[in-house]
Amino acid sequence: MTENADVIFVGNKPPISYVLAIITSLSSGNLKEITLKARGQAITAAVDVAEITRNRFVKDLKVSKIAIGTAEMPPREGESKSRMVSTMEITLSKEKTKTE
Amino acid sequence: MTENADVIFVGNKPPISYVLAIITSLSSGNLKEITLKARGQAITAAVDVAEITRNRFVKDLKVSKIAIGTAEMPPREGESKSRMVSTMEITLSKEKTKTE
């Protein structure tokens, strides 16, 4: 159960899994805003997820904020230096229904 | 020669090539704003390029705008359906020098 889940971490699953997670979260209550977080190669997937959700499923969803940044990752096994990896956050907001 | 180049398309070259293109553009005149454009897997590269440039080379560069979207690509050879691909634009702006 992911009640009030307002943050979804996008990784290596097929985009549609995250799309479904967004739709589920949005339809389960008062949630109006969801943030997708991704790093490294998953950044492209996060953009795909946001675009698929907006274009095909939740037409009144808007991209309200996008931020990029850098995170330090611990070194891989056998390596001594930590790695820097790009990060991205996409916040999707549901517009208020006009006549309610 | 890329005079007044304010748009850089990020593709499959190593990130440092694009970083150098940004630095060159910025240092060659009055240019204060550069937009990186990328689609598909190159989106991650565009974020890397923006982050590397900001963190290591041009410290007074700010991310002033990020936009995502979808573009239709012509079908691949042997396929009949066109494909949708995610796009991203990152606009980098140079802050005005305080004492000038």
Side-chain angles (χ1 to χ4, degrees):
Chain A
M1 295 287 280
T2 53
E3 287 178 314
N4 293 318
D6 51 356
V7 174
I8 292 175
F9 290 90
V10 177
N12 297 321
K13 290 186 207 164
I16 196 70
S17 337
Y18 304 106
V19 173
L20 288 174
I22 296 172
I23 295 170
T24 310
S25 291
L26 285 175
S27 61
S28 70
N30 293 317
L31 198 63
K32 292 274 180 235
E33 203 175 85
I34 285 192
T35 301
L36 300 174
K37 293 193 181 192
R39 56 190 181 194
Q41 282 301 323
I43 286 174
T44 304
V47 176
D48 288 342
V49 168
E51 285 295 300
I52 293 169
T53 311
R54 284 201 310 144
N55 294 334
R56 293 203 217 153
F57 298 98
V58 193
K59 309 269 182 190
D60 58 347
L61 206 60
K62 297 271 170 197
V63 176
S64 56
K65 200 185 143 195
I66 304 177
I68 59 174
T70 303
E72 202 174 336
M73 300 278 288
R76 288 202 185 92
E77 242 185 70
E79 288 177 9
S80 57
K81 274 167 68 181
S82 61
R83 295 168 298 130
M84 303 308 274
V85 73
S86 295
T87 62
M88 187 179 193
E89 293 186 21
I90 304 174
T91 304
L92 300 168
S93 305
K94 211 160 177 180
E95 284 181 339
K96 278 172 194 153
T97 317
K98 273 163 205 161
T99 49
E100 237 183 353
Chain B
M1 295 284 281
T2 54
E3 288 178 314
N4 293 318
D6 51 356
V7 174
I8 292 175
F9 290 90
V10 177
N12 297 321
K13 291 187 208 166
I16 196 71
S17 336
Y18 304 106
V19 173
L20 288 174
I22 296 172
I23 296 171
T24 309
S25 291
L26 285 175
S27 62
S28 70
N30 293 317
L31 199 63
K32 293 272 180 237
E33 204 174 85
I34 284 190
T35 301
L36 300 174
K37 292 193 181 191
R39 57 189 180 195
Q41 283 301 323
I43 286 174
T44 304
V47 177
D48 288 342
V49 168
E51 285 296 300
I52 292 169
T53 310
R54 284 202 310 142
N55 294 334
R56 293 204 216 151
F57 297 99
V58 193
K59 309 269 180 189
D60 58 349
L61 207 61
K62 298 271 170 198
V63 175
S64 56
K65 200 185 143 196
I66 304 177
I68 59 174
T70 304
E72 200 174 337
M73 301 278 288
R76 289 203 185 91
E77 244 185 67
E79 289 177 8
S80 57
K81 275 168 67 182
S82 60
R83 295 169 298 132
M84 302 309 273
V85 72
S86 295
T87 62
M88 187 178 192
E89 293 187 21
I90 304 174
T91 304
L92 299 168
S93 305
K94 212 162 176 178
E95 286 182 337
K96 279 172 194 151
T97 318
K98 275 165 206 160
T99 49
E100 234 181 355

